[in-house]
Amino acid sequence: MSQAVEFVERRKANRRQERPSDRFISNLTKNTVAIILAGGRGSRLRNLTDWRAKPAVQFGGKFRIIDFPLSNCINSGIRRINVATQYKAQSLIQHVQRGWGFLRGEFNEYVNIIPAQQRLGEEWYKGTADAVYQNIDLLRENGGDYILVLAGDHIYKMDYGKMLATHARSNADMTIGCINVPLEDAKGFGVLEVDGTDRVVAFEEKPTAPKSMPNDNTKAFASMGIYVFNAKFLYEQLIRDAYDSKSQHDFGRDIIPYIIQKYRVQAHRFTDSCVGAQDGNFYWRDVGTIDAYWEANMELTKVIPELNLYDSEWPIWTYQEQLPPAKFVFKDEGRTGKATDSLVSGGCLISGSCVSNSVLFSGVHVADYCNLDGAVVLPKVQIDANVTLKNVVIDRGCHIPAGMQIGVDLERDRKRFHVSEKGIVLVTPDMLGQDLYRVK
């Protein structure tokens, strides 16, 4: 048998083995345009977002929060992506430009940055729905049968193709990505009720008394802020909402409550599309507070963390800065450079100090005789000799003076830094009197 015949037979066999659902999902993702809402400050992160939007905050040693929804899109096969920005967006725009320019415009692939421009009036974005409405002309121009609306500020891995399949198979006008949350936390979410087919029959945004799930009175069924719309249907609803003077122009407060009464809104369970779930743990984190941010970073130092950053089948893409390997120097008595149960990124230099249960981002320099335990240290931080850091978040560019102790005496720390409810100390350049961001 010739090589050509063998090749043809092999192709036929592959077609027979290919699951129809794979082709079905591929067609859906190719006909989808995504818009990531990344314009929020994230005020619960306190001073960490004084000079950057929440989606631009660094996470996990080398990533930024925005990298997770962007990577989910690419890995799902969605390659037409818009990122809507507003609040202090320069670092976010710069990151996306540097790290996400590998898509090919010749194939109608792109990551477009769409800052708030007052395109349709003299006002900035008034709500999540208004942010999409003000860019409705760009979405129409980009085409696509489906519009995927994403929040830009959560950490998770999700195959959006499976959510699109749920949407198409149920003949829905809108589909909402949903997750089970503890009942006491549900006050910060949109809470849904569904029938036996997972059609949404009731919805309440951030209720004061959330309703529990029928089969579990300790949890509520909550919206993840992930939506799939039929494109034409979305445009109709956005235009209708824009002319409603009583509307707050928000998906959770206005769009969803209106359309569930008249149209088909479907729920899609995160458990059906979560990537890399381990032992029934479906990883999704809202790192919207200092405590949640610190805890999510600390989880990554475990021997087997719930979020697998080493997964080559569903990688998290980001801007790869060219840096030398991390370096640990000196092995003297009481002066040994070492790190245990920690993530240490490129460009770091640990000189005769002990780092444990910590996450060090790129370009962190630690001088002699320091002790870091439970430290999340963002890029380009200089730590001088004899410093102790315990249960802290150190913002980018800080210079920690020699001999300083942070996280040891919380009462003293409160006079200068921000101390969270759980005792995590946030330190920024401004708090140290270092004018990194201000005009001198």
Side-chain angles (χ1 to χ4, degrees):
M1 185 183 295
S2 69
Q3 289 184 343
V5 173
E6 286 182 3
F7 175 77
V8 171
E9 292 300 319
R10 209 160 46 240
R11 288 290 298 273
K12 289 180 179 178
N14 289 340
R15 289 194 189 100
R16 287 193 296 269
Q17 293 174 5
E18 187 182 44
R19 292 176 298 174
S21 60
D22 290 340
R23 294 196 300 270
F24 173 58
I25 291 175
S26 177
N27 288 334
L28 292 174
T29 55
K30 288 178 181 177
N31 287 307
T32 297
V33 174
I35 179 167
I36 302 175
L37 305 181
R41 171 176 180 170
S43 57
R44 293 181 300 153
L45 281 174
R46 311 290 298 211
N47 307 82
L48 201 58
T49 54
D50 279 351
W51 299 99
R52 62 177 73 87
K54 180 182 174 183
V57 172
Q58 290 89 351
F59 180 83
K62 65 183 300 182
F63 308 100
R64 297 195 185 225
I65 296 174
I66 189 69
D67 290 326
F68 287 83
L70 282 170
S71 296
N72 287 334
C73 284
I74 297 299
N75 294 332
S76 298
I78 298 169
R79 291 176 168 255
R80 288 184 285 172
I81 308 165
N82 302 279
V83 180
T85 67
Q86 183 165 248
Y87 171 83
K88 293 187 179 178
Q90 178 54 34
S91 63
L92 177 63
I93 291 171
Q94 187 177 65
H95 174 74
V96 173
Q97 287 176 333
R98 290 177 175 178
W100 294 89
F102 56 84
L103 298 179
R104 299 304 298 267
E106 301 94 323
F107 301 129
N108 198 24
E109 302 175 350
Y110 54 80
V111 176
N112 281 341
I113 301 167
I114 45 177
Q117 304 174 68
Q118 299 183 338
R119 296 176 65 86
L120 301 180
E122 296 182 358
E123 294 181 317
W124 303 111
Y125 298 151
K126 293 175 286 186
T128 54
D130 184 60
V132 181
Y133 170 71
Q134 289 202 34
N135 294 290
I136 195 171
D137 58 327
L138 297 177
L139 294 176
R140 279 175 165 163
E141 181 181 340
N142 293 335
D145 297 328
Y146 306 101
I147 304 296
L148 174 65
V149 180
L150 302 169
D153 54 2
H154 298 133
I155 309 294
Y156 64 105
K157 289 184 175 183
M158 180 177 179
D159 187 345
Y160 299 137
K162 294 182 178 179
M163 182 174 174
L164 284 159
T166 296
H167 178 81
R169 286 171 177 150
S170 61
N171 293 314
D173 299 293
M174 176 190 185
T175 297
I176 304 174
C178 302
I179 193 169
N180 300 345
V181 300
L183 192 63
E184 61 271 19
D185 296 338
K187 294 179 181 180
F189 293 83
V191 176
L192 304 91
E193 294 181 54
V194 297
D195 64 15
T197 65
D198 276 349
R199 179 171 180 171
V200 180
V201 296
F203 180 91
E204 188 174 3
E205 178 73 358
K206 298 181 179 179
T208 55
K211 292 184 179 180
S212 64
M213 300 172 62
N215 58 347
D216 188 346
N217 60 12
T218 67
K219 293 183 178 179
F221 198 39
S223 167
M224 301 169 69
I226 299 174
Y227 314 124
V228 173
F229 288 93
N230 296 332
K232 292 181 180 179
F233 174 76
L234 173 62
Y235 304 151
E236 291 170 358
Q237 294 306 314
L238 291 176
I239 293 169
R240 176 198 58 77
D241 179 76
Y243 288 94
D244 183 353
S245 59
K246 298 180 180 179
S247 175
Q248 298 178 54
H249 311 295
D250 185 82
F251 282 112
R253 297 188 183 279
D254 305 289
I255 298 289
I256 298 173
Y258 177 87
I259 66 176
I260 60 173
Q261 308 298 328
K262 301 181 179 181
Y263 303 97
R264 185 176 184 93
V265 179
Q266 189 73 15
H268 171 80
R269 297 175 184 267
F270 180 55
T271 53
D272 294 334
S273 56
C274 177
V275 175
Q278 301 179 25
D279 301 323
N281 294 316
F282 300 92
Y283 187 95
W284 182 86
R285 296 290 186 273
D286 178 357
V287 291
T289 66
I290 293 298
D291 287 326
Y293 176 76
W294 179 85
E295 289 169 357
N297 276 283
M298 286 297 103
E299 286 175 352
L300 299 175
T301 67
K302 295 179 180 178
V303 176
I304 304 177
E306 291 183 37
L307 176 64
N308 183 6
L309 295 177
Y310 302 87
D311 179 9
S312 59
E313 294 185 3
W314 199 273
I316 303 302
W317 305 89
T318 190
Y319 168 59
Q320 298 282 350
E321 188 176 2
Q322 297 301 312
L323 293 169
K327 187 175 182 179
F328 304 81
V329 296
F330 298 120
K331 192 180 178 182
D332 303 332
E333 184 68 28
R335 185 188 178 217
T336 300
K338 63 180 181 178
T340 57
D341 297 321
S342 299
L343 281 68
V344 181
S345 301
C348 288
L349 176 58
I350 314 301
S351 174
S353 290
C354 178
V355 177
S356 60
N357 304 302
S358 297
V359 179
L360 272 56
F361 288 72
S362 304
V364 173
H365 289 184
V366 184
D368 295 339
Y369 304 111
C370 294
N371 185 7
L372 278 62
D373 184 11
V376 178
V377 185
L378 273 58
K380 304 186 185 305
V381 168
Q382 174 71 45
I383 301 173
D384 289 348
N386 294 294
V387 166
T388 298
L389 301 177
K390 183 176 179 60
N391 298 341
V392 299
V393 176
I394 308 296
D395 195 8
R396 179 186 183 277
C398 283
H399 182 181
I400 309 299
M404 180 170 278
Q405 294 187 340
I406 305 175
V408 178
D409 184 344
L410 297 184
E411 288 304 315
R412 182 181 62 189
D413 290 336
R414 285 189 177 93
K415 297 176 182 179
R416 189 171 187 182
F417 310 119
H418 170 74
V419 180
S420 73
E421 293 180 1
K422 295 184 179 180
I424 307 304
V425 184
L426 171 64
V427 180
T428 68
D430 288 343
M431 296 174 183
L432 292 166
Q434 298 163 6
D435 296 328
L436 181 63
Y437 299 104
R438 299 184 185 278
V439 177
K440 296 181 181 180

